[in-house]
Amino acid sequence: MSEQASTSQAAVSEEMKAEIAELERLNGLPFASSAMGYIKRTGPGLLQSAMTLGAGSAAASVIAGASFGYKLLWVQPVAMFLGVMMLGALSNVVLTTGERPYKSFGREIGKWLVVLWALGTIMSSIIWHFPQYGLAASAARDLGALQEIVSIPPEITAASSAVDEAMKTNDPAIIDQAKANLSKVTSESTPLGLGFTTAGLAISFGIGILILCINIVTTFNYGGDSKGVRIYEWFLRGCIALVVVMFGIVVVAKIDVVAAESGEIFKGFIGWYGIPNLWNVDGSLNNSTVTQVLGMLGAAVGINMTFLYPYSLLKKGWGVHHKKLARWDLGMTMFLPFVLVTSLVIIAMKVGGVYDGADVVNTTIRPLGAAKALGGVLGENAGRVIFDLGLIGMTCGAISTHMVVCGFTFCEMLGLQQTKKRFRLFALTPAIGILGVVATLPIWFPVAASAVCFTMLPIAYLTFLIMNNKRSYIGDAVGSGVPRFLFNSILVIALAVATIGSGIKIYGNVIKKIMPA
């Protein structure tokens, strides 16, 4: 070992010793006194927050708010609480042992299990990359429309509206006819049959390339030294702050409505209304409402998040002394931002007048449609602009974390030491998702990905539950007494909810696509 390398390692060691000493000091302080010290040192939870605050969360929150107003405000906090508890179990295992989970879990549980875990992570990161770019491009085209730039020909807009109306009938023949007409109009009236004007294509690829370039720079920083990691974490903080501010402005603009309806908002958060419109008139269970709620509960945490999280802990150099900090990190930079953003979106749907009071799942509402509906919230189109910028901020953070997780996962799967070059090369894998600005994947691709990813999530949860209770592996870190019982009870609930939620997703995204009624 060179003298320079030895000096570098010694410096890192001294820095870590100082950090551990500071953490021990913070651990002995009262809550209020230690809070800022912990918050300054958070980081890995940011990646999880940015990853889950993407196109999926935006769509789920828009549908929840547009369909039920404040009544489902409780769902996202409960969903993320269960996810945070499961990641807390994972952090306990990883920080206790300091081992890389791909190897240790493969040795302790089963090699094929971790291979599927990694494959599901890569597949989901690539597949869900497409809708992130799609949402960003939709928001950018909507901003262009405010400048009277026509991105979608009027005949295609009319045909798309006809499809939305057909979907409300639940008649397969009417729906198929409307979709066939849309396909025909699209192929006949736009360049390459992509459904956009030349200006629309320019806007779509322009925002896609801009976001990709920004994320390449920031993600490559994460693949570097500790300074690069800090730069990347500040980038994510910026993305999340932008999202919070943008959606917050829309809500604050209607602060008089928020104040008048604060009681209803509070009821929504505590689950006062439970699952609204749970029963049909004939006494049967309302499957659409149940599916919406259970799907939201089971899908707040994705399979790729479960792979990224332990490696982001190790990347920070955290160990057994960082356990309390890890809990703070999950609470302050994962749970809190997720709940804040999704709640603001739901509230915006109600105060902006998108919710019509019917309490029926509105599957035709989309984030872009919600942005248009909020056009008059802050005067002429200002609410629409701000909502669009918030959507772009959400996708930007999610895209970067998809790239980061691919950089980690490929190195682990292939048994390669993680170097800057390798990490950066593999981080570019999901960049093909930029094509999502104008196109969707062939139906078989997301179907296959859904089958693997949603099947693996409850299996991964079960693995974390087992490993967190494996005394032969983590010793006394399994806990004891009432706290251990309560924590394990929450983990079992999280596993059950994830299993049910994954089952719903598999039914909707796989079975119904392969065997339509």
Side-chain angles (χ1 to χ4, degrees), residues 430-478:
I432 190 175
I434 193 175
L435 296 178
V437 297
V438 294
T440 56
L441 286 166
I443 185 65
W444 64 267
F445 211 20
V447 166
S450 296
V452 174
C453 300
F454 290 122
T455 299
M456 276 306 302
L457 183 62
I459 294 175
Y461 272 19
L462 178 60
T463 300
F464 304 156
L465 176 60
I466 293 172
M467 294 296 287
N468 193 60
N469 286 280
K470 196 167 186 179
R471 190 176 294 275
S472 62
Y473 182 58
I474 63 172
D476 291 340
V478 298

Side-chain angles (χ1 to χ4, degrees), residues 61-279:
S61 300
V62 164
I63 292 174
S67 303
F68 301 102
Y70 306 132
K71 295 175 183 175
L72 291 185
L73 278 170
W74 64 272
V75 177
Q76 299 285 33
V78 170
M80 187 49 66
F81 172 76
L82 294 176
V84 162
M85 291 297 103
M86 193 57 76
L87 291 181
L90 179 57
S91 71
N92 182 50
V93 174
V94 173
L95 296 179
T96 298
T97 64
E99 282 194 280
R100 305 174 79 83
Y102 186 81
K103 293 181 179 179
S104 62
F105 287 14
R107 182 184 67 244
E108 299 289 330
I109 301 293
K111 198 167 185 179
W112 282 108
L113 184 67
V114 294
V115 169
L116 290 173
W117 184 29
L119 283 175
T121 294
I122 292 170
M123 290 177 69
S124 62
S125 298
I126 294 174
I127 299 305
W128 311 141
H129 219 61
F130 282 76
Q132 308 300 335
Y133 278 106
L135 179 57
S138 295
R141 290 192 294 266
D142 190 48
L143 292 174
L146 295 177
Q147 301 300 315
E148 299 184 352
I149 299 174
V150 179
S151 296
I152 302 175
E155 56 268 32
I156 292 181
T157 301
S160 296
S161 297
V163 171
D164 289 341
E165 291 302 314
M167 294 293 290
K168 295 177 182 178
T169 67
N170 292 320
D171 187 322
I174 295 176
I175 294 172
D176 289 343
Q177 183 178 357
K179 288 182 176 180
N181 181 59
L182 174 60
S183 179
K184 180 182 177 182
V185 172
T186 300
S187 62
E188 292 177 350
S189 61
T190 57
L192 303 177
L194 293 174
F196 305 102
T197 63
T198 302
L201 291 175
I203 291 175
S204 300
F205 278 105
I207 188 67
I209 292 171
L210 176 62
I211 289 176
L212 177 59
C213 289
I214 291 172
N215 280 296
I216 285 175
V217 172
T218 54
T219 301
F220 280 14
N221 269 298
Y222 192 81
D225 55 18
S226 58
K227 182 179 178 181
V229 172
R230 287 194 293 272
I231 292 173
Y232 179 75
E233 289 174 351
W234 276 109
F235 164 72
L236 290 185
R237 287 187 179 98
C239 287
I240 293 170
L242 171 66
V243 173
V244 171
V245 170
M246 292 298 101
F247 293 141
I249 288 174
V250 174
V251 172
V252 170
K254 290 287 186 178
I255 195 64
D256 55 332
V257 179
V258 173
E261 298 180 351
S262 58
E264 289 299 305
I265 293 174
F266 177 74
K267 288 181 179 179
F269 275 117
I270 65 172
W272 182 271
Y273 297 102
I275 300 177
N277 197 15
L278 184 59
W279 304 100

Side-chain angles (χ1 to χ4, degrees), residues 5 47 118 232 259 309:
L47 277 73
Y232 179 75
Y309 181 60

Side-chain angles (χ1 to χ4, degrees), residues 499-514:
T499 302
I500 295 170
S502 294
I504 289 172
K505 294 290 185 181
I506 290 171
Y507 177 74
N509 294 5
V510 180
I511 296 175
K512 288 186 71 174
K513 297 291 177 62
I514 297 175

